[in-house]
Amino acid sequence: MSDAGDAKAAKTEPSYRPLAGIAESQAAIDEVIAVAQRTIRVFDISLANRGFNSPARADRLREFLVKGRAHRLLIALHDTDPLERECPRLLTLLRQFPMSIEIHRTLAQARNAMDPFIVADDHSVWHQQHFEQQRAIVAIHSPQDAIPIAQRFDEIWELSEPAVSATTLGL
């Protein structure tokens, strides 16, 4: 096997590790975003302490969205007000890529979910055990960890409604 083949195999080798703090989680979220090839699914209470307004995160998301017309960023939140007040960079991306980004607010039983997560395609995931605790895990290139969370996102998404749009309508 060539050196390039070894490097590629090492990159796709599954990894799983526990995380203990906000800084570790933010770095792990960047790792998950970096390996996304088609879809990034985000479930959170409000995106607080996730770094979604940082210039670096906005650049990473922009790079992901520019790579392909079919790339999607799907975000489901319990509370969208903080996002609208505190994440102007994410809202700018929403205006620039209105066909690629959807932001929903959870309804009904989906409001019982309290464990934020981010899934890249069906292979990588960052998952916080409970939004009030800092413990989390990150699994990169690990479908067995990511697929159940992706399926859970689909259930939450079905119990949500569009909440933040690229345009502001009003009187």
Side-chain angles (χ1 to χ4, degrees):
M1 186 183 277
S2 70
D3 290 339
D6 291 341
K8 185 173 181 173
K11 277 186 174 182
T12 59
E13 197 66 31
S15 71
Y16 178 98
R17 68 183 187 280
L19 308 167
I22 293 172
E24 281 184 79
S25 279
Q26 287 184 359
I29 290 168
D30 287 335
E31 285 181 65
V32 171
I33 291 169
V35 297
Q37 296 172 343
R38 294 176 314 279
T39 305
I40 299 171
R41 298 176 191 97
V42 178
F43 164 70
D44 206 330
I45 307 306
S46 67
L47 287 184
N49 297 318
R50 303 286 181 247
F52 276 87
N53 195 45
S54 75
R57 177 72 52 78
D59 289 345
R60 282 184 190 91
L61 291 172
R62 181 183 325 283
E63 288 170 13
F64 166 76
L65 294 167
V66 171
K67 283 182 184 177
R69 297 181 106 189
H71 288 195
R72 296 290 175 261
L73 172 59
L74 306 175
I75 302 173
L77 303 171
H78 287 332
D79 184 5
T80 59
D81 291 340
L83 175 134
E84 294 178 89
R85 282 192 316 269
E86 300 166 12
C87 293
R89 289 181 178 90
L90 185 57
L91 294 176
T92 298
L93 285 175
L94 177 62
R95 284 189 292 278
Q96 291 172 341
F97 300 95
M99 302 305 288
S100 300
I101 301 174
E102 291 184 60
I103 302 173
H104 282 203
R105 180 181 308 110
T106 57
L107 302 168
Q109 292 173 314
R111 302 210 39 98
N112 293 329
M114 294 294 160
D115 56 325
F117 54 81
I118 298 173
V119 182
D121 304 317
D122 290 330
H123 58 72
S124 299
V125 63
W126 167 84
H127 185 204
Q128 187 175 10
Q129 310 309 313
H130 190 275
F131 80 99
E132 292 178 333
Q133 299 175 358
Q134 293 183 10
R135 286 190 331 247
I137 61 96
V138 64
I140 304 295
H141 298 295
S142 180
Q144 67 270 21
D145 293 306
I147 288 173
I149 303 297
Q151 291 169 342
R152 188 144 175 270
F153 179 87
D154 292 343
E155 293 169 2
I156 290 169
W157 192 254
E158 283 185 34
L159 294 171
S160 68
E161 66 183 1
V164 181
S165 69
T167 59
T168 304
L169 300 176
L171 299 176

